[in-house]
Amino acid sequence: MLAYRRLVGVLCLQSEQPGAFQSSDECVVGILANQVAMALATLRKAEGEGMEAAPVDVAARPVEVKHYEEDDSVFLDNEYLIKGVAGGILWRLLRNYNEQGRVEFSNREIRLDQTLELPDIKDNLEARLILLRKRLAERCEYLSIQKASRGRFRLEVTRPLTLVHVEGGGPL
């Protein structure tokens, strides 16, 4: 179980019946493990152990991340980054990071998020994540998406972010 990119525990489930656990069980256990890990990290932080997220250069000027709802376009300091499904995915990740401090995500939770309106093609999510990862690598040094394990990835942020959501019309 990981919290703030640190190992806080290990969860092991076993059954006497071969094949007793299905992929849906793995998803549920993964979500529960993340919640337990974050709870443990919060308790340890309260006790003074100090689990920290990825190092963010707090002295750096915050980056304004602007999201236009109409076409899911994302701009970093008024410079276009990406739009469409990949832009919607990035906005979701950044909101979770900003509101909950989350940095680890699973492909499955993204795929099941109905607000992203992903096409029904199964490999489409992976293609969008690859596009997003490459675009971030090309255009900004303070945001990246790294593969964490099978079906999981991690958002890495090294500068403070200011999130701005724009409803209605897109950018001019």
Side-chain angles (χ1 to χ4, degrees):
M1 297 183 301
L2 296 174
Y4 304 109
R5 298 175 54 195
R6 292 188 184 188
L7 182 68
V8 295
V10 177
L11 184 63
C12 177
L13 298 176
Q14 298 180 349
S15 173
E16 292 180 9
Q17 291 179 305
F21 300 112
Q22 303 298 317
S23 60
S24 60
D25 298 320
E26 180 183 351
C27 180
V28 170
V29 169
I31 292 169
L32 290 173
N34 284 338
Q35 295 299 316
V36 170
M38 292 305 289
L40 286 172
T42 302
L43 287 173
R44 288 181 180 164
K45 191 178 239 180
E47 294 173 357
E49 288 186 26
M51 302 274 304
E52 298 173 10
V56 174
D57 183 4
V58 293
R61 181 186 57 78
V63 176
E64 182 183 67
V65 180
K66 195 176 285 186
H67 172 255
Y68 290 90
E69 182 177 36
E70 183 175 325
D71 62 355
D72 278 325
S73 58
V74 176
F75 287 71
L76 303 175
D77 283 337
N78 293 318
E79 293 290 324
Y80 171 77
L81 177 68
I82 201 159
K83 72 175 183 176
V85 174
I89 292 169
L90 178 61
W91 183 248
R92 181 192 189 277
L93 300 178
L94 293 175
R95 277 193 353 256
N96 277 279
Y97 170 79
N98 199 40
E99 294 167 4
Q100 303 166 12
R102 285 190 64 202
V103 293
E104 293 250 348
F105 302 89
S106 73
N107 290 8
R108 184 168 176 87
E109 76 176 278
I110 300 299
R111 186 174 282 116
L112 294 175
D113 186 342
Q114 296 297 314
T115 64
L116 294 174
E117 300 177 2
L118 288 170
D120 291 334
I121 303 168
K122 183 177 181 180
D123 293 332
N124 197 277
L125 174 63
E126 285 75 14
R128 305 302 171 128
L129 287 172
I130 290 169
L131 170 67
L132 181 55
R133 185 178 301 129
K134 285 182 179 179
R135 188 67 56 90
L136 288 171
E138 291 170 358
R139 299 198 180 173
C140 73
E141 67 282 351
Y142 47 84
L143 276 177
S144 67
I145 294 176
Q146 305 297 326
K147 187 169 180 68
S149 63
R150 183 174 177 258
R152 299 194 63 75
F153 59 94
R154 179 177 36 257
L155 176 68
E156 295 186 357
V157 180
T158 58
R159 280 186 55 192
L161 303 175
T162 302
L163 302 184
V164 178
H165 178 72
V166 179
E167 294 181 21
L172 298 174

